[in-house]
Amino acid sequence: FYMNIYSYFEKLKETVKLKKGKRSLLEIISGWEDLAEKVVTFIRDPVKSEFIVVTIPEARGVKQTERIIRDFDEYQLAVNHLIVNYVIQEADCDFHRARKEMQQHYLQILKDQYSHRITLVETPLFPQEVKGVERIEKVSKILFD
């Protein structure tokens, strides 16, 4: 089977030449392999690449975060920061009190699982969209202080 594929590639190599540089298909694929190795080396280098996961304090967000971080761990890609968006800070009504209580449960799960190795940052649920310089500055202070 493998010899059969190899012979097809050899035939293809003989018949398919690209006009630019006259490289064969196998030479092009080999170049892709080299590029892929360089990309993997780059993204695994903690000096050159950093990974940040953004989630919400709800069941689905926590489950997806667990899967993402597990996948990153499997490929030896270190997640350094976990940003949890839309956290209710002040509960001013029954609705917000119930949501805040629910969120606290999921925040605790995230803290228990990851705070020993990943920096967790909570961003509050703002009453308006984060648009404009003032609001962006407010969020940047939360994220980078």
Side-chain angles (χ1 to χ4, degrees):
F1 175 74
Y2 293 109
M3 288 302 290
N4 202 8
I5 291 175
Y6 181 77
S7 66
Y8 284 119
F9 272 113
E10 285 299 311
K11 287 178 189 174
L12 197 57
K13 183 174 93 171
E14 296 299 320
T15 57
V16 176
K17 297 275 185 178
L18 297 181
K19 292 180 181 176
K20 279 187 172 180
K22 305 264 184 198
R23 293 189 314 157
S24 72
L25 183 60
L26 289 177
E27 290 169 329
I28 292 169
I29 291 171
S30 176
W32 291 342
E33 290 172 351
D34 293 340
L35 178 61
E37 286 178 29
K38 288 177 183 175
V39 169
V40 169
T41 300
F42 176 80
I43 65 174
R44 283 189 177 154
D45 184 341
V47 173
K48 296 177 181 172
S49 300
E50 183 174 61
F51 298 95
I52 300 168
V53 174
V54 180
T55 191
I56 56 174
E58 295 180 8
R60 181 170 290 220
V62 170
K63 286 294 179 196
Q64 288 175 338
T65 299
E66 290 169 349
R67 271 196 306 271
I68 289 167
I69 292 176
R70 187 173 47 247
D71 288 347
F72 273 61
D73 288 346
E74 183 180 330
Y75 291 104
Q76 301 162 2
L77 303 170
V79 174
N80 298 320
H81 302 281
L82 176 59
I83 298 171
V84 185
N85 274 340
Y86 308 129
V87 177
I88 296 172
Q89 304 289 311
E90 304 275 332
D92 58 356
C93 65
D94 289 341
F95 175 80
H96 284 133
R97 279 188 281 282
R99 296 286 300 174
K100 183 175 180 175
E101 184 178 328
M102 178 267 308
Q103 287 184 346
Q104 291 304 310
H105 169 73
Y106 291 111
L107 283 167
Q108 193 59 53
I109 290 171
L110 293 170
K111 288 174 186 176
D112 291 346
Q113 288 181 341
Y114 303 114
S115 65
H116 65 282
R117 66 185 183 115
I118 299 173
T119 303
L120 272 71
V121 179
E122 296 176 25
T123 61
L125 176 63
F126 293 104
Q128 308 89 10
E129 288 183 85
V130 179
K131 290 168 63 175
V133 175
E134 288 178 29
R135 292 180 190 161
I136 291 172
E137 284 176 347
K138 193 174 189 178
V139 172
S140 71
K141 286 179 184 174
I142 294 167
L143 294 175
F144 300 110
D145 276 350

